[in-house]
Amino acid sequence: MLRIWQDEMTLATLLSNIPLTARGPTQIMLFDLHALQERFYFSDHVIPRLESAIPLLLQQLKTFPQQDLVIVFPDDGATKRFKDMFSVYSFVTCAKVRNGDHCNVVVKDGDPNGKHVVIVDDLVQTGGTLIECAKACLGKGATKVSGFVTHAVFPKNSWSKFAHSSNPSVKFETFWITDSIPHSRDIAKNEPFKLLSLSALIADRLLGYDLVPSV
């Protein structure tokens, strides 16, 4: 663990001290940054560009009848971050409620009854919160559950609890992930995962930056 931490610190130090380019500060694209305050880590030689992979999901959702879908956020943080990107959809917010020594995930706002719910978050670790959020929505009458995360971290193969081949406790119809992490390609070989590539978004943003005239 210490070695991993040291490697991360070394990489972070290198990134934060990138020198100026011929056209000024280096620009780094950060997709759906989990802790927004980390954008202030970089030196004055680096301009962090906060980007989102949500447009990739919106393209996928166009293949579904809009009236059948509800966007679900697993907590208030995800709601604040993403809800404005889903202006044409109804949404539901879940929340953790402590009951003695246990925490239960409940539907806090919105109504998933009769809908195909799509749970949206920036990243997933073990997936426990997403599963409990899905159960809460199904308990309120949701007919189907899908999910989307930008960063499929999934340590220790925790993605397997969603795999259809593992007979999961909650069956996700589709679980969209991006290729922001290399092992996502291997995960996406298993149902219900579907890989969305960031390459088109990155190319589009880079072209936009290049077209901005230098001062």
Side-chain angles (χ1 to χ4, degrees), residues 59-71:
Q59 286 295 324
Q60 297 295 311
L61 297 184
K62 288 180 180 179
T63 63
F64 299 89
Q66 180 181 325
Q67 66 273 16
D68 293 345
L69 296 176
V70 167
I71 305 302

Side-chain angles (χ1 to χ4, degrees), residues 2 9 37 51 68 74 87 93 100 105 110 114 117 119 121 123 125 159 169 175 188 191 205:
L2 178 59
M9 287 300 296
Q37 67 269 20
E51 304 289 352
D68 293 345
S87 57
T93 300
V105 176
V117 301
I119 304 174
D121 210 351
L123 62 80
Q125 295 269 5
W159 59 267
S169 59
F175 198 138
E191 291 185 340
R205 300 303 187 270

Side-chain angles (χ1 to χ4, degrees), residues 125-142:
Q125 295 269 5
T126 64
T129 299
L130 296 188
I131 290 173
E132 293 305 313
C133 184
K135 289 180 179 178
C137 289
L138 290 170
K140 290 292 186 178

Side-chain angles (χ1 to χ4, degrees), residues 126-187:
T126 64
T129 299
L130 296 188
I131 290 173
E132 293 305 313
C133 184
K135 289 180 179 178
C137 289
L138 290 170
K140 290 292 186 178
T143 57
K144 296 180 181 178
V145 177
S146 291
F148 168 87
V149 296
T150 301
H151 309 295
V153 181
F154 284 129
K156 298 180 180 179
N157 293 325
S158 55
W159 59 267
S160 61
K161 67 180 67 175
F162 294 90
H164 288 177
S165 59
S166 300
N167 191 26
S169 59
V170 176
K171 184 177 180 180
F172 278 59
E173 296 294 317
T174 307
F175 198 138
W176 292 281
I177 60 178
T178 79
D179 54 0
S180 69
I181 299 177
H183 68 206
S184 297
R185 294 187 178 276
D186 291 328
I187 294 174

Side-chain angles (χ1 to χ4, degrees), residues 10-207:
T10 299
L11 176 60
T13 300
L14 288 172
L15 288 175
S16 68
N17 289 284
I18 294 175
L20 290 170
T21 70
R23 296 186 61 183
T26 298
Q27 301 183 47
I28 295 181
M29 281 181 279
L30 304 172
F31 280 87
D32 295 318
L33 189 63
H34 183 63
L36 294 178
Q37 67 269 20
E38 290 180 2
R39 69 187 185 276
F40 300 115
Y41 174 81
F42 298 97
S43 70
D44 293 339
H45 291 175
V46 177
I47 298 176
R49 299 286 187 179
L50 301 184
E51 304 289 352
S52 179
I54 294 299
L56 297 177
L57 174 61
L58 291 174
Q59 286 295 324
Q60 297 295 311
L61 297 184
K62 288 180 180 179
T63 63
F64 299 89
Q66 180 181 325
Q67 66 273 16
D68 293 345
L69 296 176
V70 167
I71 305 302
V72 177
F73 305 111
D75 52 44
D76 288 331
T79 302
K80 293 175 182 178
R81 177 176 297 188
F82 295 122
K83 73 174 183 179
D84 290 341
M85 301 182 189
F86 297 95
S87 57
V88 300
Y89 295 98
S90 299
F91 66 89
V92 166
T93 300
C94 290
K96 290 182 179 178
V97 176
R98 181 165 293 280
N99 183 10
D101 295 332
H102 302 282
C103 272
N104 298 319
V105 176
V106 300
V107 173
K108 177 183 176 183
D109 296 306
D111 182 13
N113 185 47
K115 302 294 185 179
H116 178 179
V117 301
V118 181
I119 304 174
V120 176
D121 210 351
D122 55 351
L123 62 80
V124 60
Q125 295 269 5
T126 64
T129 299
L130 296 188
I131 290 173
E132 293 305 313
C133 184
K135 289 180 179 178
C137 289
L138 290 170
K140 290 292 186 178
T143 57
K144 296 180 181 178
V145 177
S146 291
F148 168 87
V149 296
T150 301
H151 309 295
V153 181
F154 284 129
K156 298 180 180 179
N157 293 325
S158 55
W159 59 267
S160 61
K161 67 180 67 175
F162 294 90
H164 288 177
S165 59
S166 300
N167 191 26
S169 59
V170 176
K171 184 177 180 180
F172 278 59
E173 296 294 317
T174 307
F175 198 138
W176 292 281
I177 60 178
T178 79
D179 54 0
S180 69
I181 299 177
H183 68 206
S184 297
R185 294 187 178 276
D186 291 328
I187 294 174
K189 295 175 182 177
N190 304 272
E191 291 185 340
F193 295 101
K194 182 175 181 180
L195 190 68
L196 304 178
S197 177
L198 292 172
S199 59
L201 286 178
I202 293 172
D204 180 68
R205 300 303 187 270
L206 286 175
L207 181 61

